[in-house]
Amino acid sequence: MAESAMTRRGERERYDVKLLQVDWGFALVLSLIAGIGALVLYSVGGMSWEPWAYNHLLRFGLCFVLMIALSLVDLRWWLQLCYPIYAVSLLLLVAVELFGDVRMGAQRWLSIGSFSMQPSEFMKLAIVMALARWYHEAGVKDATLSWKLIIPLSMIMVPVLLVAHQPDLGTAMLILLTGVTVMIVAGLDWRIIGAAAAAGAVAIPFFVIFVMHDYQRDRVLTFLNPEADPSGAGYHILQSKIAMGSGGLLGKGLGLGSQSQLNFLPEKHTDFILAAVCEELGFVGGFTVFALYGLAVYMALRIATLSHSHFGRLAAAGTTATFALYVLINGAMVMGLAPVVGVPQPLLSYGGSVMMTVMIGFGLVMGVKVHRYQELPRSQSFFAQFE
Amino acid sequence: MSEPSIFFEDVNEKQGTFHRRIFLMGGVTALGIFALVGQLGLLQIVQGGKYKKLSAANQFNFRILPPPRGQILDRNGNVIAGNRPSFRVLLIRNEIEDLDQTLDQISYVLPQTEANRRRIVRDVSQSQRFVPTVVASDLSWEDFSRVNLYASEIPGVQAVMDEIRVYHYGGAFAHVVGYVSKVSEKDVKAEGENPDSLLLHPSFRIGKQGVEKAFEKQLRGVSGAQKIEVNARGNIVAEDPNGTKPPTPGEDITLTLDAEIQARALEVFEQDSGAAVMLDIHTGEILCMTSAPAFDPNLFVSGISSKAYRLLADYERLPLLDKAIGSTFAPGSTFKMNTVLALLAAGVSDTERVNCPGSYRFGNRTFYCHKKSGHGPVDMRHAIKYSCDVYFYHMCNRAGVDRIHDTAHKLGLGELFDLEISGQKKGLVPSTAYKREAFKKDPKWHPGETLSVAIGQGYTHVSALQLAVYTARIANGNRAITPHLIKKVGAVDTDFDFKPIDIPPEHLQVVRDGMYMVSNDADGTAYRNSQLNLGDIKLCGKTGTAQVHSYDNAKTRKASIWKFKDHGLFVCYAPADNPKYALAVVLEHGVGGAAFAAPKAREIMKVALLKDPAMQARIVRPVPVEDAAAASAEALPDITDVPNPDPTIPPAD
């Protein structure tokens, strides 16, 4: 266990030292995004803290504390918990398949007593951790071009298919893309990447026509031609574009966005909050939000490169990938560049489960920063090192 | 730990690949964010103007403000057709997701919704997408305010206050003023290429008959618009006072009709069927034009039930028909003044006498006078006074049917007038030309046929309006007045200039003498029922009884079935010395003109005379001092209270 010569043994284990190592700049960027979210929620709530803005800030505060607490957890604990968490998440997905509640036409929720949850949400993190763990132990050859790649691929595809069957295409896609991103950054051979991309391009039209549910297909077709049915399925996209476009450079001002205030903008507090931001705060506001997101991604990826352990790198990169995918997919959807797929804008949109997933993920990323000099064993039992 | 736990090369290679790939991932993410920011700039800055317009179009709506319909007034400014406020609840179909649920919600606030449910569901399914359906109208203020309070919470429900047409005189003007009703598809088509959007407004009603129809354009007005801010559900959030264009109200129409006379005319008809038309003989203004029985036009405004409509349409006395202009009758003896004028025109002397033995033999047929015992020797004036048929049988062929026809047209019979409302029937006064045209098998006019025409029977049939014009022209004596119904449209007065009548005044004087005797000689046919009891204001008239059905036995002119009874007619003018008013009354199946039509005419005429300030001045003579106060207290003395200034004239019984 080589430790940096610069510090005394055991010095890094002290929590006050760890707290100083927390990336407070990163935490500030995240807080700013959540703050803008609260501001716009205050506005679209009719210039009122109720019903959204107050809850949003409260949740962010709790998640913030959780994130900092998680950042102090030793990476070895994370490493050991990867497979158990993945296994539990997978079991929960199967349980959803068997016993889940049907809400709004999809079987996504699992109720235990009065507590209900969406296991697919946990899977976004679990897949990153499980893959990071696997690649942490795998050799270079295994990660680039090897039959062993069947293992990470299965780890991705089993939950993806389960979630897609619920059906929750948005989350399934997110898990798939996150997993694939981890595989790529872990060093997947370019030939496999190229072949998979080509196969995907061929398969997508067939998928749209034969596998998708009607409403899903409608959304895709509407995306391709939104003006065909402006009051039906194309309504969301059109109203969202009107909201953003009419904001202009400087926006209509807080509380003055007619599209969001008069309910022309659907889901203005959740999936389409970015449109409300752009309407009321204009291009300046929208640009600021994207700049903060870009900065957050940059900072998180930088943390990933600082890590001395492969697990740390991949876990941080994978979590960041989930976050970046959220931002890009939601942004494209709201601006009419992608079909409407029910993906919220992380930290900006109102909603507890996504915020929790993202903040737990960033807890792990921050943990990677705090423990960046920690070297982790490749295959030994975590508990063995204490012997 | 025997084995090293780290293979450095491997780690370095892993780390190297990872760093390159992370750089790539960061680049891809940055590219994605740049693309989004670019799209944002395109939407917000490049296309911002376009979306700002779309947003404003979303936000603001223009709502039609229906103009108040012009009022229809009588000559004295009494409102015949006006508007009253109406509280209504409307359902806007394209905002409703579940009609049943919405109706359930409304019925909480408005219990009557339940009873109307089937009608509402039917209306909603039949109406166009953006046209609201009326859930309930004419709500009480309490109901309206309750609905208004909750309407904003039930999507697609609107509580509105607007105006509805009201006819204050009920049936009195039902035919001449007509009514407004819901717009039909035919009405929309009749508007041509670009129908007024007002037609689709649920509160709008279109004129369907009479003045309401004829002056639809002037009465309607121009709708205004209100700029309102709406939310996505279409509910009004705010109104923009600067964006509101007020509606232009429709023009008021002032009729020549007198509401008091008109209402009284309908009253005197009671259950009887017929028509009464009164004209000012100098101006041609129609003072009263009544058709009885009438119907309540208010029924049609909010939509008459089909059951009620059937009752009206199936009633044998035809309340829906305008009998004043749209129905023609044989004029009977009222036609005899015309025959007299034709005789005078043919050079027959007014003093030449004919002996009436009670019947007249022409060819192989015997024609009876209405007085079987005969009138003895009668001259022209007495022929009118007694309505002696034999005189006319005897004389008529000296005038000939064509001269009778020409004279009739000079007097307005068989003529269509340039009346402002539609629905006139032309009727017919026969001539040799008519016979040639209409009877191809027997085109020759037989002198025997002239006998029927001379007494207003046979082919002859005329409308009540024509009879009134005929009487007015006789009374006027030198102008061929034409009837008019409209006094003012908006603020513009209508003015008419009449041509001189092509009949010598002395001829007309003969006829007037005869009519005076009818009503004022104790043995005149209408003496008993022509007494006005208004001092020296006298009535001149002529009775008529027109046979509707040929009797098996001509001697007993009685029919037990109402439809086959004779028509009773009475035409008159007053005052005798200085005529002002002419009146024609037709009583369908009213058996006799003298007995049944004349009393009605007298009552109607009295209302007109008593209203006339010039007449009042004549009636109210200087009275003893103690009665003066009482007399002046009542501007309009009651008919029964008028003292009989001339005790030599016996009172009517």
Side-chain angles (χ1 to χ4, degrees):
Chain A
M1 296 298 102
E3 285 171 347
S4 168
M6 300 298 289
T7 46
R8 278 169 284 156
R9 171 174 286 268
E11 186 80 349
R12 291 189 191 282
E13 310 301 321
R14 277 171 52 193
Y15 284 105
D16 56 337
V17 175
K18 280 190 180 186
L19 272 175
L20 283 174
Q21 291 298 313
V22 167
D23 193 338
W24 292 105
F26 184 54
L28 178 68
V29 170
L30 298 183
S31 303
L32 281 175
I33 296 173
I36 293 177
L39 193 66
V40 174
L41 286 172
Y42 174 79
S43 161
V44 297
M47 299 307 268
S48 158
W49 291 104
E50 296 291 336
W52 301 310
Y54 174 77
N55 273 346
H56 188 74
L57 282 180
L58 186 70
R59 281 175 187 167
F60 181 73
L62 292 173
C63 287
F64 189 86
V65 172
L66 181 66
M67 175 180 78
I68 300 300
L70 287 176
S71 72
L72 304 180
V73 173
D74 196 294
L75 278 189
R76 281 170 296 189
W77 286 95
W78 286 104
L79 190 66
Q80 288 307 309
L81 287 172
C82 285
Y83 286 150
I85 287 177
Y86 178 78
V88 169
S89 298
L90 207 57
L91 277 174
L92 287 172
L93 277 181
V94 174
V96 165
E97 191 66 24
L98 299 176
F99 317 111
D101 302 343
V102 177
R103 290 191 197 172
M104 297 167 84
Q107 201 166 15
R108 297 177 190 173
W109 298 79
L110 198 61
S111 299
I112 302 163
S114 62
F115 179 76
S116 62
M117 57 179 181
Q118 283 192 67
S120 56
E121 205 55 48
F122 295 118
M123 188 45 91
K124 289 171 190 164
L125 272 182
I127 187 72
V128 169
M129 290 170 69
L131 288 171
R133 167 86 200 245
W134 190 84
Y135 279 107
H136 180 70
E137 310 221 327
V140 176
K141 287 227 169 70
D142 301 338
T144 18
L145 190 61
S146 145
W147 286 113
K148 281 191 183 171
L149 284 173
I150 296 284
I151 297 167
L153 195 65
S154 311
M155 281 158 87
I156 298 168
M157 288 318 289
V158 171
V160 164
L161 290 176
L162 281 171
V163 173
H165 189 251
Q166 288 180 351
D168 184 351
L169 226 51
T171 307
M173 200 166 72
L174 212 63
I175 295 171
L176 179 68
L177 289 174
T178 305
V180 168
T181 308
V182 173
M183 285 180 83
I184 292 172
V185 294
L188 193 62
D189 194 282
W190 282 112
R191 281 168 290 180
I192 297 183
I193 298 171
V202 173
I204 282 173
F206 287 95
F207 178 72
V208 169
I209 295 166
F210 297 111
V211 184
M212 276 191 171
H213 286 256
D214 281 348
Y215 80 95
Q216 293 168 333
R217 188 161 45 239
D218 279 350
R219 281 183 185 174
V220 173
L221 296 178
T222 300
F223 159 67
L224 295 173
N225 186 13
E227 274 76 19
D229 183 12
S231 62
Y235 181 79
H236 290 193
I237 291 174
L238 190 67
Q239 293 301 336
S240 170
K241 282 169 92 172
I242 291 174
M244 301 183 104
S246 64
L249 182 65
L250 297 173
K252 296 176 182 172
L254 272 187
L256 300 174
S258 59
Q259 288 287 109
S260 33
Q261 300 289 336
L262 300 175
N263 289 327
F264 286 102
L265 189 63
E267 301 290 331
K268 60 188 179 189
H269 61 297
T270 56
D271 291 1
F272 283 89
I273 194 168
L274 190 64
V277 171
C278 292
E279 186 188 21
E280 302 206 330
L281 303 176
F283 180 74
V284 173
F287 183 83
T288 307
V289 167
F290 278 118
L292 287 171
Y293 277 129
L295 194 59
V297 170
Y298 168 77
M299 291 172 117
L301 289 181
R302 175 152 175 75
I303 288 169
T305 60
L306 290 177
S307 177
H308 282 205
S309 66
H310 204 52
F311 171 74
R313 290 178 201 126
L314 288 178
T319 312
T320 313
T322 311
F323 181 74
L325 283 167
Y326 265 125
V327 173
L328 293 177
I329 291 175
N330 179 275
M333 170 183 102
V334 168
M335 289 182 209
L337 296 173
V340 177
V341 280
V343 172
Q345 198 60 272
L347 303 181
L348 207 60
S349 291
Y350 182 77
S353 55
V354 173
M355 182 179 279
M356 198 148 96
T357 313
V358 167
M359 292 300 275
I360 290 174
F362 282 142
L364 177 55
V365 172
M366 289 215 163
V368 170
K369 162 88 181 353
V370 171
H371 305 95
R372 60 190 180 280
Y373 298 122
Q374 193 170 36
E375 313 246 352
L376 297 175
R378 261 178 85 185
S379 53
Q380 271 176 317
S381 162
F382 162 61
F383 300 100
Q385 57 187 300
F386 297 106
E387 285 163 6
Chain B
M1 290 195 211
S2 52
E3 267 185 83
S5 59
I6 299 163
F7 300 89
F8 286 100
E9 283 170 34
D10 202 23
V11 166
N12 286 343
E13 199 180 333
K14 265 184 179 178
Q15 196 177 0
T17 314
F18 178 78
H19 278 200
R20 285 195 299 277
R21 295 274 168 108
I22 278 292
F23 188 75
L24 192 70
M25 179 185 154
V28 169
T29 310
L31 211 66
I33 287 180
F34 280 136
L36 291 181
V37 170
Q39 168 78 356
L40 197 62
L42 184 72
L43 282 175
Q44 299 202 279
I45 296 166
V46 180
Q47 302 176 337
K50 167 185 151 194
Y51 285 112
K52 273 192 181 111
K53 270 185 207 152
L54 285 173
S55 149
N58 257 349
Q59 192 181 355
F60 294 106
N61 252 353
F62 282 93
R63 197 170 58 169
I64 285 187
L65 292 176
R69 194 172 173 86
Q71 295 188 318
I72 300 177
L73 311 166
D74 88 335
R75 60 186 301 111
N76 301 315
N78 296 312
V79 179
I80 299 166
N83 305 307
R84 65 175 168 80
S86 166
F87 301 116
R88 301 135 72 88
V89 178
L90 304 179
L91 214 57
I92 296 138
R93 187 184 165 197
N94 58 329
E95 289 174 20
I96 296 169
E97 276 168 24
D98 184 347
L99 182 62
D100 266 340
Q101 197 194 334
T102 307
L103 289 176
D104 284 345
Q105 286 170 327
I106 304 172
S107 60
Y108 281 120
V109 241
L110 199 69
Q112 56 162 303
T113 314
E114 278 306 313
N116 288 325
R117 202 177 186 114
R118 279 174 67 185
R119 196 235 348 132
I120 297 166
V121 171
R122 195 192 63 219
D123 284 1
V124 167
S125 64
Q126 286 173 352
S127 73
Q128 285 166 277
R129 202 173 143 85
F130 293 98
V131 181
T133 305
V134 179
V135 174
S137 49
D138 276 335
L139 294 179
S140 67
W141 172 247
E142 287 77 19
D143 280 348
F144 175 74
S145 41
R146 200 165 59 235
V147 175
N148 206 11
L149 194 63
Y150 293 105
S152 58
E153 286 168 31
I154 314 175
V157 174
Q158 246 183 27
V160 296
M161 192 196 88
D162 47 34
E163 291 192 320
I164 194 166
R165 199 66 157 166
V166 60
Y167 299 100
H168 296 292
Y169 290 87
F173 292 92
H175 304 95
V176 51
V177 166
Y179 54 83
V180 292
S181 189
K182 281 180 187 161
V183 179
S184 68
E185 260 177 64
K186 229 172 85 186
D187 297 326
V188 178
K189 272 186 199 145
E191 292 273 308
E193 283 293 298
N194 240 332
D196 193 342
S197 57
L198 180 61
L199 261 62
L200 297 176
H201 196 273
S203 79
F204 180 74
R205 294 287 182 272
I206 196 165
K208 294 278 191 183
Q209 253 198 6
V211 176
E212 291 273 30
K213 185 184 182 185
F215 289 86
E216 172 63 32
K217 229 173 87 188
Q218 291 87 338
L219 287 165
R220 186 185 293 174
V222 182
S223 46
Q226 190 180 25
K227 195 177 172 192
I228 47 173
E229 190 179 358
V230 294
N231 65 11
R233 273 179 15 188
N235 292 337
I236 299 169
V237 181
E239 290 176 7
D240 179 2
N242 297 324
T244 299
K245 188 184 120 204
T248 312
E251 288 180 292
D252 288 352
I253 306 269
T254 305
L255 304 181
T256 60
L257 297 173
D258 186 306
E260 222 172 304
I261 306 173
Q262 180 90 6
R264 181 72 185 137
L266 187 68
E267 264 171 39
V268 302
F269 270 94
E270 293 170 11
Q271 298 300 308
D272 294 328
S273 172
V277 179
M278 181 186 274
L279 295 177
D280 183 308
I281 66 151
H282 301 296
T283 61
E285 289 174 346
I286 301 174
L287 296 168
C288 135
M289 188 151 85
T290 306
S291 174
F295 59 90
D296 185 358
N298 291 305
L299 288 176
F300 288 82
V301 178
S302 41
I304 188 169
S305 73
S306 56
K307 200 177 149 197
Y309 184 80
R310 278 259 67 82
L311 280 174
L312 286 172
D314 292 346
Y315 185 37
E316 67 172 352
R317 303 198 176 185
L318 304 175
L320 295 176
L321 177 69
D322 185 356
K323 294 171 189 121
I325 58 172
S327 205
T328 53
F329 315 86
S333 304
T334 57
F335 191 72
K336 284 172 182 164
M337 284 84 85
N338 178 63
T339 312
V340 162
L341 290 169
L343 289 171
L344 287 165
V348 178
S349 159
D350 58 326
T351 53
E352 193 178 335
R353 289 181 179 201
V354 170
N355 184 49
C356 168
S359 65
Y360 179 73
R361 186 136 185 107
F362 187 86
N364 55 3
R365 224 187 122 183
T366 306
F367 291 79
Y368 289 95
C369 188
H370 66 92
K371 191 179 177 189
K372 301 294 172 301
S373 55
H375 291 104
V378 288
D379 66 6
M380 210 173 251
R381 289 180 178 82
H382 286 83
I384 295 175
K385 172 181 167 181
Y386 300 127
S387 198
C388 176
D389 295 324
V390 170
Y391 176 87
F392 293 97
Y393 296 149
H394 191 91
M395 290 290 203
C396 63
N397 278 308
R398 285 169 65 179
V401 70
D402 286 339
R403 201 171 266 116
I404 292 175
H405 167 268
D406 292 349
T407 313
H409 278 270
K410 285 178 192 168
L411 291 165
L413 298 175
E415 289 274 321
L416 281 182
F417 303 106
D418 186 15
L419 203 61
E420 292 86 348
I421 60 171
S422 57
Q424 278 186 85
K425 267 201 163 177
K426 198 171 177 188
L428 175 77
V429 179
S431 63
T432 51
Y434 160 76
K435 185 86 195 276
R436 264 199 311 280
E437 286 297 308
F439 295 85
K440 299 290 181 202
K441 282 181 192 163
D442 180 20
K444 193 182 175 313
W445 184 268
H446 303 291
E449 291 173 315
T450 316
L451 271 64
S452 307
V453 173
I455 61 161
Q457 296 280 164
Y459 308 120
T460 323
H461 54 101
V462 298
S463 72
L465 176 68
Q466 288 167 358
L467 282 174
V469 172
Y470 160 75
T471 314
R473 288 185 181 176
I474 290 170
N476 183 297
N478 54 67
R479 299 267 155 191
I481 61 105
T482 54
H484 289 285
L485 196 55
I486 307 300
K487 206 170 170 63
K488 260 195 268 183
V489 175
V492 184
D493 276 290
T494 50
D495 211 3
F496 299 100
D497 204 16
F498 303 117
K499 279 185 290 202
I501 196 162
D502 183 22
I503 296 172
E506 58 273 20
H507 290 185
L508 289 164
Q509 188 55 50
V510 173
V511 171
R512 285 200 295 268
D513 290 347
M515 288 175 76
Y516 180 85
M517 289 151 73
V518 168
S519 293
N520 297 291
D521 284 3
D523 56 349
T525 51
Y527 174 74
R528 267 159 51 102
N529 287 316
S530 301
Q531 297 311 308
L532 292 170
N533 275 357
L534 295 177
D536 60 357
I537 300 171
K538 299 292 183 194
L539 187 80
C540 299
K542 180 73 194 83
T543 60
T545 302
Q547 193 177 316
V548 183
H549 184 248
S550 54
Y551 303 98
D552 296 335
N553 180 357
K555 284 174 189 160
T556 55
R557 307 191 91 190
K558 275 181 187 157
S560 50
I561 302 166
W562 181 79
K563 279 205 306 197
F564 297 147
K565 287 182 178 175
D566 292 345
H567 290 326
L569 298 98
F570 192 70
V571 298
C572 61
Y573 65 88
D577 47 8
N578 182 18
K580 175 103 193 270
Y581 303 106
L583 171 66
V585 171
V586 177
L587 188 60
E588 274 193 304
H589 314 292
V591 185
F596 298 99
K600 295 189 195 311
R602 183 188 60 198
E603 286 309 310
I604 299 166
M605 186 62 91
K606 256 180 150 171
V607 178
L609 291 171
L610 287 169
K611 280 199 75 165
D612 191 325
M615 304 300 153
Q616 283 173 24
R618 280 178 66 173
I619 297 162
V620 187
R621 294 257 174 90
V623 285
V625 183
E626 59 268 28
D627 291 352
S632 63
E634 279 181 276
L636 275 182
D638 198 288
I639 298 159
T640 51
D641 287 342
V642 177
N644 193 338
D646 190 350
T648 57
I649 294 178
D653 51 10

